[in-house]
Amino acid sequence: MELIYRSTRNANETATASQAILKGLANEGGLFVPDSIPALDVSLEDLAKMNYQQVAYEVMKLMFTDFTEAELKHCIDSAYDSKFDTPVIAPLVNKAGAYYLELFHGSTIAFKDMALSILPYLLTTSAKKNGVKNEIVILTATSGDTCKAALAGFADVPGTKIIVFYPKHGVSPIQEKQMVTQKGDNTFVVGITGNFDDAQTGVKKMFSDAELAKYMDEKGYQFSSANSINIGRLVPQMVYYVYAYTRLVADGTIKAGDKINVDVPTGNFGNILAAYYAKEMGLPIAKFICASNDNKVLFDFFQTGTYDRNREFILTTSPSMDILISSNLERLIYKIAGNDAEKNSELMKELTTDGVYTITDDMKAKLAEFYGGYATEAETAATIKKVYESDDYIIDTHTAVAATVYEKYVAETGDKTPTVIASTASPYKFTRSVMNAIDPEYDSKTDFELVDELEKLSGVKVPQAIEDIRSAKVLHDTVCDKEDMLAEVKGFLNI
């Protein structure tokens, strides 16, 4: 049976999986969600015997029902190959009282690789299926890692161009160097003099501009998205939670059917929502631990039922979480509103106009599976040092936020359920913050000296992604005001 996707803001706007992937964002700013989430049709015991690619197929076939088996397996096998530095793809490591799911073994050493390695194949397959003749322009905003992973995925892919916007002063030096040295005639990177929310708002505005869409079509282009608002990003993320659970079954840590908790450092809410969707598919998850940094808009939401972005934006050492508008939360709001597009649309309008909305008591009661917590900068640094000293294991700043919140959760609840922590980036992406947390003396060294020190300390070889940028030439140096984003897009496309 074909799964239908529907806009969170208009019940009458529907799409097949391939159409939703192509479009990225629904009209009126809505997000595509499945009418229902099919149950896994292979047992957890059988999934435990499969490799990552096989598990991926069993999950994705249920969500992307208009793809043939051959098409989907081609996308999966093309994505999860030697681009990853381990055949396991996403290792699960038992350290410091939890199970760290290492999602950073792809070509850009961040969890975004898990979905952005496959998105170009899903997108180009979708274009063929739907007879698209236009060139597809991937338009995206990043708080740090999406940009590089998307650029790497789409660089020189025929029939596509990719334009990414990032906050000029809101990413780590390594993150920025990865982006601005990206090769590919179809790539364009722009720093904006604003924060991630400004970049994301500007991108969403272009997506929802009907006149612009018409003009682009006349010129032979159409927009699509590589952000986690695209269902083609979200579904591949469901896979690694199923995979992690079945590794715990395979090694005898749990029995099939036992519950686990999932702890995710959260900014745009896509990664934790993928875990929620995996539970809807039948994965036995008891609690979703939503970890925030000092930009704790999600913590406050889970505490009070009020989402309020009207606050100071704080730059932290976990920049991929420096977000005040968590776009994917809308998919959860739609769900707890009883799949009521009208109610959801009303709340999202309040967020746009007033910067705040409050859900009903009935809706809040449906969030009991979620635990919100946050970590300060000092707590995050202390956790990096503690995990290193106790387990000889070095985690990045985002993972440390999650580890800190997990410790608080256990202290508060006494819950010792086996917990998977999403380890979202390699510490090599945030060497200065990580090394300073271990010993402030490291701050006198240059970024690449710190890379070498981290290798000595961790015993983990410097990833190729870092070696590649040591002496790479800057190819993208455009910076613009947030008001000029559209002009930059038109300039790059020569329209």
Side-chain angles (χ1 to χ4, degrees):
M1 193 175 78
E2 186 157 88
L3 190 62
I4 296 300
Y5 288 81
R6 201 173 296 273
S7 168
T8 53
R9 301 191 191 182
N10 180 356
N12 296 318
E13 186 182 355
T14 61
T16 63
S18 62
Q19 289 166 345
I21 289 167
L22 264 178
K23 200 164 183 187
L25 194 66
N27 296 333
E28 301 162 30
L31 308 185
F32 285 112
V33 292
D35 272 351
S36 62
I37 295 183
L40 286 164
D41 59 5
V42 176
S43 73
L44 294 168
E45 291 93 339
D46 284 343
L47 288 166
K49 298 168 190 165
M50 297 181 184
N51 64 20
Y52 193 89
Q53 293 85 345
Q54 290 166 325
V55 172
Y57 176 72
E58 295 302 332
V59 173
M60 290 192 214
K61 74 177 186 187
L62 300 172
M63 301 296 288
F64 297 151
T65 52
D66 64 333
F67 283 69
T68 66
E69 180 178 348
E71 286 170 339
L72 196 47
K73 285 184 173 176
H74 168 72
C75 293
I76 290 166
D77 292 342
S78 300
Y80 305 114
D81 59 8
S82 59
K83 289 189 289 294
F84 288 80
D85 65 20
T86 168
V88 179
I89 307 299
L92 193 62
V93 180
N94 184 4
K95 297 284 184 182
Y99 296 88
Y100 287 83
L101 179 60
E102 293 186 346
L103 300 171
F104 51 76
H105 288 272
S107 57
T108 74
I109 59 175
F111 85 100
K112 306 296 172 76
D113 288 323
M114 301 300 295
L116 284 165
S117 293
I118 194 169
L119 185 62
Y121 299 100
L122 293 172
L123 197 60
T124 51
T125 302
S126 295
K128 283 179 197 158
K129 291 175 84 65
N130 289 276
V132 169
K133 304 292 185 215
N134 285 342
E135 190 156 10
I136 297 165
V137 179
I138 305 299
L139 183 65
T140 195
T142 185
S143 54
D145 291 330
T146 293
C147 175
K148 175 59 184 179
L151 287 163
F154 282 95
D156 294 322
V157 171
T160 70
K161 291 190 187 303
I162 177 162
I163 304 170
V164 291
F165 291 95
Y166 74 96
K168 175 65 183 166
H169 303 293
V171 299
S172 79
I174 295 286
Q175 283 177 313
E176 183 170 44
K177 189 81 185 284
Q178 279 189 299
M179 290 189 277
V180 299
T181 57
Q182 176 63 50
K183 296 176 182 175
D185 292 338
N186 64 336
T187 64
F188 187 49
V189 180
V190 184
I192 70 158
T193 52
N195 59 40
F196 169 72
D197 289 328
D198 294 324
Q200 182 167 253
T201 299
V203 164
K204 282 184 173 179
K205 190 175 175 186
M206 284 185 261
F207 265 106
S208 57
D209 186 333
E211 284 299 310
L212 178 59
K214 187 179 170 190
Y215 179 66
M216 293 267 294
D217 185 54
E218 288 168 3
K219 299 294 183 181
Y221 295 113
Q222 67 187 64
F223 284 137
S224 189
S225 170
N227 275 88
S228 59
I229 53 177
N230 191 319
I231 201 71
R233 273 277 307 276
L234 197 58
V235 169
Q237 291 178 270
M238 295 167 64
V239 173
Y240 48 72
Y241 292 108
V242 177
Y243 183 73
Y245 183 94
T246 58
R247 295 319 96 178
L248 293 173
V249 172
D251 68 16
T253 300
I254 61 173
K255 295 192 294 292
D258 289 352
K259 291 195 171 181
I260 64 165
N261 294 333
V262 169
D263 178 8
V264 186
T266 309
N268 220 10
F269 208 76
N271 202 357
I272 196 165
L273 183 73
Y276 180 80
Y277 276 10
K279 178 174 182 174
E280 295 275 293
M281 195 171 259
L283 200 66
I285 299 175
K287 210 77 173 175
F288 300 93
I289 301 169
C290 180
S292 299
N293 62 17
D294 279 326
N295 292 292
K296 57 187 182 68
V297 64
L298 286 166
F299 167 77
D300 292 339
F301 169 71
F302 284 115
Q303 292 288 109
T304 66
T306 295
Y307 191 99
D308 186 357
R309 66 174 173 84
N310 298 318
R311 63 184 69 204
E312 181 190 358
F313 183 94
I314 302 168
L315 289 174
T316 73
T317 55
S318 46
S320 297
M321 299 163 67
D322 291 347
I323 293 172
L324 296 181
I325 304 173
S326 301
S327 287
N328 270 290
L329 183 64
E330 179 172 346
R331 285 184 163 113
L332 182 62
I333 297 299
Y334 173 82
K335 175 83 164 53
I336 63 174
N339 295 348
D340 184 338
E342 197 174 325
K343 173 64 177 172
N344 175 71
S345 191
E346 180 187 306
L347 292 171
M348 294 307 122
K349 190 173 181 185
E350 288 175 21
L351 183 64
T352 301
T353 54
D354 306 326
V356 60
Y357 65 79
T358 300
I359 60 175
T360 65
D361 289 342
D362 283 349
M363 290 168 72
K364 191 169 187 296
K366 293 174 184 172
L367 297 175
E369 300 159 289
F370 287 86
Y371 169 91
Y374 75 96
T376 64
E377 288 288 85
E379 289 171 331
T380 300
T383 294
I384 291 171
K385 185 179 176 71
K386 183 161 67 174
V387 172
Y388 168 64
E389 291 179 343
S390 70
D391 285 63
D392 201 24
Y393 185 59
I394 300 181
I395 55 177
D396 91 293
T397 46
H398 303 74
T399 308
V401 168
T404 304
V405 171
Y406 176 58
E407 194 175 314
K408 290 181 179 183
Y409 170 78
V410 173
E412 187 180 314
T413 65
D415 181 8
K416 296 293 180 68
T417 301
T419 298
V420 170
I421 295 178
S423 185
T424 53
S426 165
Y428 280 101
K429 272 214 150 168
F430 305 95
T431 44
R432 185 164 301 280
S433 299
V434 167
M435 296 300 279
N436 283 356
I438 292 170
D439 187 343
E441 293 293 314
Y442 283 115
D443 201 37
S444 61
K445 296 185 180 293
T446 68
D447 287 312
F448 284 104
E449 284 174 339
L450 287 173
V451 164
D452 295 327
E453 291 294 330
L454 178 54
E455 183 178 42
K456 286 181 206 165
L457 217 56
S458 67
V460 175
K461 188 172 180 289
V462 178
Q464 194 59 44
I466 301 297
E467 293 292 4
D468 287 346
I469 61 170
R470 278 188 193 264
S471 56
K473 183 181 172 188
V474 171
L475 301 173
H476 305 273
D477 57 5
T478 304
V479 178
C480 76
D481 292 331
K482 60 186 178 183
E483 295 82 10
D484 297 328
M485 289 169 65
L486 176 57
E488 291 295 341
V489 168
K490 287 182 171 179
F492 177 60
L493 299 177
N494 291 314
I495 59 174

